Amino acid sequence: VRSGQVDFSEPILGTGFVEGRTMFHLATFLLALVPEIGRTVPGPALLVHSSPLLALAAIMAVYALVQGLAKNRNAALFGTSLFMLYLLVPQDYPHGLFYQFGISDKTIGIFVFVPSTILLVWEYLSLPRPGLLILLCLAALALGTIHPVVFVMCWFLVAVFVLTNYGISALQGGGTSVVPVLLLVVPCLVGLVFPLYLRTQFHTTSAAELSLDSTNILVQHRLDLQRDRLIIYPDGRFIGDPALILDKPARVLAYLLLPAIALRAWRRKDAMAQFLFTGLVFPALLLFNPVTPELLGRFVTPMMVFRFSWLLPDILAVGFVFYWLVGFLLRGLPQSRRYLVC
């Protein structure tokens, strides 16, 4: 890099614009770094064989998140079972996400670090301890290094989740302390260390420096390659394409069930319901209006705005509404049998 052998120019669009993450794509560097250290395992083989281990880490992260929010072991087992099925069902990948962990930095970020971060935030706010804050800083540093875009999305979601929880508590007369919330700024700053360091080492053109016409050309060219992401209006504004939700039946059903989730989040102050509610509402509010996508597009490439849809907890939302309904209808049965029915 320093000798100029790699100039980081955009290979497809030829614009010279490069997002910060692609300058040091760690998943690519691991292919060379780990075999160099071990001198035995070829890079691609390492990543392929690490996929099941990372998938297990994701399964444990989801279990820990649901257990931490719902405080119910059967609910955690149910949510984890849904997630395991989701990993194995062929979707965008022919063999399911289970086999993608070793070669996809964003998959690791979304399914391992995002649940872990949300759980650590919840545990820290429930009982503030310096050790949990240190763990949060380490998790933020790791996620910010692996995938800065997922890091930003994760902490946006954390902020909305915390505000929702505190807002409901305040409206219902509960006392809350704002000091632990303010201290969450520390892991946010720690997570920005690696992206900001790269900004000081290499020059990149910010999306804000591009003219409106150039930005629209960037968007239009990428749309030719990856459709169903954004809709561009004649005046240059753009919003998320509703196909991000309408093309996936589970997401449509999750939004149809949103009133039930909101009711449980309000009446029972259920942390799991509050997380599902914010996880469904927040990305939709960001994507499907002509203001916020353009604002976000000034900080990242506009075609990356659609990635906020990655955080939609649609499978868990549908599953847990069904779980709560079965629990209500069969409330005379022991919890373990309700879980088996689900």
Side-chain angles (χ1 to χ4, degrees):
V1 172
R2 295 187 184 280
S3 63
Q5 296 176 357
V6 181
D7 62 3
F8 296 119
S9 61
E10 225 290 343
I12 298 177
L13 304 177
T15 60
F17 176 83
V18 182
E19 54 172 308
R21 178 181 69 88
T22 56
M23 291 190 296
F24 267 32
H25 197 300
L26 293 188
T28 304
F29 278 87
L30 283 173
L31 289 172
L33 177 62
V34 177
E36 179 67 23
I37 295 174
R39 299 187 182 281
T40 53
V41 183
L46 171 76
L47 294 184
V48 169
H49 292 303
S50 67
S51 292
L53 295 176
L54 291 167
L56 289 175
I59 291 168
M60 290 189 287
V62 170
Y63 176 86
L65 173 64
V66 179
Q67 169 69 13
L69 295 180
K71 304 298 182 185
N72 186 311
R73 180 171 175 269
N74 290 312
L77 289 172
F78 177 67
T80 307
S81 301
L82 286 176
F83 179 66
M84 291 172 68
L85 291 174
Y86 172 75
L87 290 180
L88 294 172
V89 171
Q91 300 177 74
D92 296 332
Y93 304 102
H95 302 294
L97 277 169
F98 186 87
Y99 299 98
Q100 286 298 120
F101 279 88
I103 55 176
S104 175
D105 54 348
K106 53 183 172 288
T107 307
I108 299 171
I110 292 171
F111 293 117
V112 177
F113 282 98
V114 171
S116 303
T117 299
I118 294 171
L119 172 64
L120 287 172
V121 168
W122 178 251
E123 294 292 335
Y124 171 71
L125 294 178
S126 301
L127 184 61
R129 287 174 289 176
L132 285 175
L133 191 62
I134 293 173
L135 282 176
L136 262 175
C137 290
L138 293 174
L141 180 63
L143 183 55
T145 303
I146 292 172
H147 203 296
V149 176
V150 175
F151 168 79
V152 171
M153 295 190 298
C154 174
W155 279 89
F156 264 118
L157 180 59
V158 165
V160 177
F161 173 49
V162 171
L163 289 175
T164 300
N165 178 265
Y166 271 55
I168 290 176
S169 297
L171 290 173
Q172 296 184 353
T176 55
S177 173
V178 298
V179 175
V181 177
L182 295 177
L183 288 176
L184 290 177
V185 175
V186 176
C188 285
L189 295 177
V190 172
L192 292 173
V193 167
F194 187 76
L196 292 178
Y197 167 74
L198 289 183
R199 289 288 179 180
T200 65
Q201 297 298 308
F202 305 102
H203 172 73
T204 59
T205 304
S206 168
E209 298 174 19
L210 297 173
S211 67
L212 185 61
D213 291 338
S214 298
T215 304
N216 290 337
I217 291 173
L218 284 174
V219 177
Q220 190 61 57
H221 276 259
R222 183 56 64 90
L223 282 174
D224 290 338
L225 301 172
Q226 300 176 345
R227 299 187 181 278
D228 299 331
R229 302 293 175 83
L230 298 175
I231 292 178
I232 305 174
Y233 293 107
D235 61 0
R237 294 179 299 166
F238 53 91
I239 65 171
D241 193 323
L244 291 170
I245 291 176
L246 298 179
D247 280 355
K248 297 184 180 295
R251 289 183 179 176
V252 175
L253 185 55
Y255 279 100
L256 292 176
L257 296 173
L258 187 60
I261 298 173
L263 184 63
R264 187 178 178 93
W266 172 260
R267 294 188 63 179
R268 297 204 176 190
K269 293 192 286 188
D270 187 313
M272 188 68 197
Q274 291 174 8
F275 164 69
L276 294 174
F277 177 79
T278 54
L280 289 171
V281 171
F282 166 65
L285 290 178
L286 279 182
L287 287 171
F288 303 116
N289 73 83
V291 178
T292 53
E294 184 177 352
L295 292 176
L296 291 170
R298 295 181 182 276
F299 297 96
V300 299
T301 45
M303 71 282 297
M304 293 168 63
V305 172
F306 83 94
R307 294 186 175 188
F308 278 88
S309 66
W310 288 351
L311 299 182
L312 291 170
D314 45 353
I315 303 296
L316 286 179
V318 173
F320 270 93
V321 171
F322 182 68
Y323 181 83
W324 295 327
L325 179 63
V326 169
F328 175 76
L329 296 177
L330 304 179
R331 54 188 179 276
L333 292 178
Q335 282 193 354
S336 58
R337 294 188 180 180
R338 289 184 229 164
Y339 166 68
L340 290 176
V341 171
C342 287

